[in-house]
Amino acid sequence: RDCQQADIKYLSGWKQWKRTSSKSLKKVLNEVKELSSYLELWRHDIRSIEGKFGTGIQSYFSFLRFLVLLNFIIFILMFSFVTLPTIVAEYGIFNSSFAKIPPKNTEPHCTVYKPSGNKGLVYFYTYLKDLLSGTGFLEVTSLFYGYYTIDAAWLSVLRYNLPLAYLLATFAYLALSLLWIIKRSGEGFKQNLVHAEDQFQSYCNKVFAGWDFCITDPNAAQLKHRSLRYELQTDLEEERLKRKIADRTMKEKLRIYSLRIFINIIVIAVLSGCFYSIYRATVFSQENSNDVSNTNFQANLLVQYLPSMVITLANFIAPQIFSFLIRFEDYSPAFEIRLTLMRCVFVRLANIGVLLFSLWSQISYCATDKCKACGYNYELYPCWESEVGQEMYKLMIFDFIIILAVTLFVDFPRKLLVTHCSCKPVQWCGLQEFGISDNVLEIIYGQTICWIGTFFSPLLPAIATIKYFIIFYVKKISLMHTRKPAARPIRASSSNFFFLVVLLIGLVLAFIPLGISIAHIPSSKACGPFRSFNTSWAVVPDTILGFPTGVQQVLHGIASEAFAVPFFMVICLVMFYFIALAGAHKRVVEQLREQLVMVRFDPIFCTLKV
């Protein structure tokens, strides 16, 4: 510092001012960053959870906070560019107006849409049914796709292209989610690489650096002791299994591989049963939801919620079967956990895909010429996008109800029994563990529903934000009062990375049905902003045709093979360069680790290096 102060005297006035300004700016930025940390959502709550239960459980609540912020930003995006312009234009705010262009070259019967809005005297239970299923008065609100029927809005002399804005907002929230997840997962990947050490380093890290100094609660400290002991036992068990695998005879290998093949056949059979049940439940619900009398409230609600209930049941039963079968496959403990989790992820996310496939099979089924003229089943689905949005809405609401019901009617009674009943069976069962992975899969399932449903229900992110906001406090109360931390926790760094990878899988899964809905399935001719186009994607080439000729030629050139092939080759070369660079860095890291081992065991080597 003294040397720097002495050098300042010999600098020019401009350089002195530049250095002083740089220091002042850095100081201001640090102070702003420190102040903004106090405005961070749930900062005190998450610090308190980390202090009592360690970084593993804290990672779940931090992940939940990330999803709340992500959904809130998606809601702001959709509301600002889709919902707000529609409301402003329809009510004539700021001297605005709107235009509705009737579809051209479309049969008149394709444009008939009569929403089931409630008229006249309505019973209270009808409002309750509509609130839970998204029908009735909710169907004609800005919550669903069918509300956005204007083609253009004028604010003074400015023209706002709502169909294009709707499509671009959809692409924007998907791109935002992808970039944000990749950024966070990149940070987790760096931490994960640090922990990818050999067994000896793993043992040393657990013994000398395994304690979590954030823990202040005695019970949490006892659990951390058991956790470290369990991890050491797991490492020893994995070493034992490695020796056992190396010593296996051909007969034993044949037996274990045959058993694994048989168990995987059972897993496939369980998955097939789940998928077929969801398909039949969806078809039955769609065919009979309108046949049940409105006066029979319970039957109508049951039929409408049948797919959601079957999916929830499959999400509960299938993981229990997988956890039981994995014991017979003779894998290492760590691989058992990973394989079971991946199977559970596949079940939860694939169930959503099966539901959408079932809906599309009903939407696309056409047996008459009138239906083929529309391109979709206009009789059952005059506004099929709103129907899909209602299914996503019901899945989200039912998932939220199940989370609350489990906490209120399972966890709390179990806590009371364990506390006030000294019976051996009750004490043997004990409190339910707070499984981090299970809870994360639960909210990732809900987030995937939100990503898919936002195109069909633009305000669904607002519901997801409120849902996760409430779930945070529900899970916090459940953790503090009705559950205990898992005896087999996972490391915070690896868990954060795993959570984001699974979330990325859910986002990629959301791309598929949205891409099919936008580019392949004909859009409804009776509702929505795309009723004048054959598909939702058709608004893009239609907008390009309105550009100047030079801009059109540039865009067509970018979309042509002459540009795409060289661009793909350049991307491949860049990718191969970074792969080679990563391999070189990995080799350097291995060499440095070898040198550290030599320094540890060879004092002469250490002296020579000095």
Side-chain angles (χ1 to χ4, degrees):
R1 188 187 304 159
D2 293 338
C3 292
Q4 287 183 351
Q5 292 295 331
D7 291 341
I8 289 176
K9 298 177 183 178
Y10 303 102
L11 294 176
S12 63
W14 164 252
K15 289 186 177 180
Q16 288 184 17
W17 179 85
K18 189 176 178 181
R19 179 177 289 187
T20 306
S21 301
S22 176
K23 287 183 178 180
S24 301
L25 181 63
K26 188 180 292 185
K27 186 177 180 180
V28 169
L29 289 175
N30 288 334
E31 289 178 354
V32 169
K33 188 176 180 181
E34 187 176 352
L35 287 173
S36 64
S37 66
Y38 289 98
L39 302 176
E40 193 176 7
L41 183 64
W42 297 320
R43 178 175 177 268
H44 176 73
D45 295 312
I46 291 177
R47 290 278 180 88
S48 174
I49 290 168
E50 183 181 10
K52 288 186 177 180
F53 302 102
T55 55
I57 291 178
Q58 174 264 341
S59 64
Y60 164 75
F61 287 93
S62 297
F63 183 69
L64 193 56
R65 177 176 61 188
F66 163 67
L67 291 184
V68 169
L69 297 175
L70 176 64
N71 282 301
F72 181 71
I73 292 173
I74 293 174
F75 160 68
I76 294 295
L77 185 68
M78 296 300 292
F79 182 81
S80 301
F81 292 99
V82 177
T83 306
L84 187 61
T86 305
I87 295 172
V88 167
E90 287 195 346
Y91 288 94
I93 304 172
F94 303 122
N95 196 24
S96 59
S97 60
F98 65 91
K100 291 185 179 181
I101 304 170
K104 299 177 181 178
N105 303 322
T106 303
E107 296 294 331
H109 61 270
C110 299
T111 60
V112 177
Y113 174 49
K114 297 178 181 179
S116 57
N118 300 319
K119 297 178 181 178
L121 184 63
V122 180
Y123 291 104
F124 172 75
Y125 62 74
T126 305
Y127 280 113
L128 182 60
K129 176 182 76 68
D130 294 341
L131 188 64
L132 292 174
S133 59
T135 56
F137 75 95
L138 273 181
E139 189 175 354
V140 294
T141 63
S142 57
L143 179 61
F144 293 110
Y145 172 94
Y147 173 81
Y148 304 90
T149 55
I150 69 174
D151 294 278
W154 274 275
L155 184 62
S156 186
V157 294
L158 299 176
R159 182 179 183 273
Y160 191 79
N161 189 341
L162 184 69
L164 182 64
Y166 199 106
L167 190 64
L168 292 180
T170 302
F171 293 155
Y173 83 74
L174 291 173
L176 171 69
S177 303
L178 179 64
L179 294 174
W180 202 347
I181 292 170
I182 288 175
K183 181 181 179 299
R184 287 180 65 96
S185 60
E187 296 170 359
F189 183 66
K190 292 175 185 176
Q191 294 178 1
N192 210 31
L193 281 177
V194 172
H195 293 284
E197 65 273 320
D198 57 35
Q199 289 299 321
F200 181 77
Q201 289 172 322
S202 174
Y203 173 78
C204 292
N205 286 342
K206 286 182 179 64
V207 172
F208 298 109
W211 185 251
D212 189 346
F213 287 94
C214 294
I215 296 174
T216 57
D217 186 69
N219 293 327
Q222 191 176 3
L223 285 168
K224 185 64 178 177
H225 278 292
R226 287 205 298 263
S227 168
L228 287 172
R229 186 167 63 248
Y230 164 75
E231 288 185 9
L232 291 171
Q233 288 173 350
T234 302
D235 289 343
L236 292 172
E237 181 68 15
E238 287 183 356
E239 288 296 317
R240 188 188 66 79
L241 281 173
K242 286 180 182 178
R243 292 183 182 180
K244 183 181 176 182
I245 290 169
D247 296 338
R248 276 178 186 162
T249 62
M250 185 60 67
K251 184 178 178 180
E252 290 175 339
K253 289 181 181 179
L254 186 62
R255 182 190 64 80
I256 194 66
Y257 290 146
S258 302
L259 183 61
R260 287 176 182 175
I261 291 171
F262 177 70
I263 289 174
N264 279 287
I265 290 171
I266 296 175
V267 169
I268 293 170
V270 171
L271 293 174
S272 303
C274 293
F275 297 159
Y276 182 74
S277 301
I278 294 167
Y279 175 77
R280 294 307 308 169
T282 305
V283 172
F284 179 82
S285 175
Q286 295 298 310
E287 290 178 349
N288 297 277
S289 59
N290 296 323
D291 297 338
V292 181
S293 173
N294 285 330
T295 56
N296 194 345
F297 167 68
Q298 293 86 354
N300 191 296
L301 195 61
L302 182 65
V303 170
Q304 292 199 25
Y305 264 88
L306 187 61
S308 301
M309 289 189 287
V310 173
I311 288 174
T312 303
L313 198 62
N315 290 342
F316 175 75
I317 293 175
Q320 304 298 326
I321 297 173
F322 297 156
S323 299
F324 174 75
L325 292 175
I326 196 73
R327 302 172 189 171
F328 302 100
E329 295 187 75
D330 201 15
Y331 289 119
S332 65
F335 188 76
E336 278 186 10
I337 294 170
R338 286 196 292 268
L339 182 59
T340 305
L341 286 175
M342 291 311 297
R343 285 172 175 171
C344 295
V345 168
F346 181 77
V347 168
R348 285 180 176 270
L349 300 184
N351 285 343
I352 304 173
V354 172
L355 172 67
L356 293 170
F357 171 78
S358 307
L359 287 172
W360 287 333
S361 66
Q362 295 291 302
I363 293 166
S364 304
Y365 177 73
C366 286
T368 62
D369 292 334
K370 280 188 173 183
C371 178
K372 291 177 182 177
C374 300
Y376 59 93
N377 192 339
Y378 75 96
E379 293 177 340
L380 282 177
Y381 306 97
C383 185
W384 66 264
E385 291 92 345
S386 289
E387 293 280 348
V388 176
Q390 287 169 359
E391 289 298 327
M392 297 295 105
Y393 174 82
K394 284 185 283 190
L395 277 176
M396 181 163 289
I397 295 297
F398 192 73
D399 182 53
F400 180 57
I401 291 171
I402 289 297
I403 291 172
L404 291 180
V406 168
T407 304
L408 292 174
F409 303 115
V410 177
D411 291 345
F412 275 104
R414 185 169 178 173
K415 167 70 174 180
L416 292 174
L417 281 173
V418 172
T419 306
H420 300 287
C421 182
S422 58
C423 301
K424 287 186 178 180
V426 173
Q427 294 299 321
W428 180 77
C429 291
L431 295 176
Q432 178 74 20
E433 288 188 349
F434 189 88
I436 299 173
S437 301
D438 295 337
N439 283 283
V440 166
L441 294 181
E442 196 173 68
I443 60 174
I444 288 175
Y445 164 76
Q447 184 58 39
T448 306
I449 293 170
C450 180
W451 277 323
I452 296 172
T454 300
F455 178 76
F456 309 103
S457 177
L459 298 185
L460 200 63
I463 298 172
T465 303
I466 297 169
K467 171 188 168 183
Y468 290 139
F469 190 87
I470 296 172
I471 285 177
F472 180 91
Y473 289 102
V474 170
K475 293 294 183 182
K476 180 188 172 185
I477 293 169
S478 176
L479 174 65
M480 296 288 187
H481 301 288
T482 66
R483 294 200 176 196
K484 62 180 181 180
R488 300 181 177 184
I490 51 178
R491 190 189 289 122
S493 58
S494 60
S495 62
N496 282 327
F497 178 64
F498 175 75
F499 299 163
L500 291 165
V501 167
V502 177
L503 189 63
L504 192 61
I505 294 171
L507 181 59
V508 172
L509 176 69
F511 285 156
I512 299 171
L514 286 175
I516 294 172
S517 301
I518 291 170
H520 179 67
I521 301 179
S523 55
S524 297
K525 303 300 183 292
C527 71
F530 305 106
R531 66 191 191 286
S532 300
F533 303 96
N534 186 36
T535 61
S536 303
W537 176 254
V539 69
V540 175
D542 182 76
T543 305
I544 291 174
L545 290 175
F547 290 167
T549 307
V551 178
Q552 288 187 40
Q553 290 176 350
V554 170
L555 292 174
H556 286 305
I558 292 173
S560 65
E561 293 84 353
F563 177 83
V565 173
F567 180 75
F568 178 74
M569 293 177 67
V570 170
I571 290 295
C572 288
L573 289 173
V574 172
M575 183 181 68
F576 287 137
Y577 167 74
F578 280 109
I579 290 173
L581 191 64
H585 288 166
K586 187 177 179 180
R587 285 193 295 272
V588 170
V589 170
E590 290 174 354
Q591 290 175 1
L592 289 172
R593 282 180 173 172
E594 290 174 0
Q595 288 183 12
L596 286 173
V597 172
M598 293 179 69
V599 168
R600 186 168 63 228
F601 288 109
D602 192 355
I604 299 174
F605 179 80
C606 182
T607 306
L608 290 174
K609 291 296 286 185
V610 172

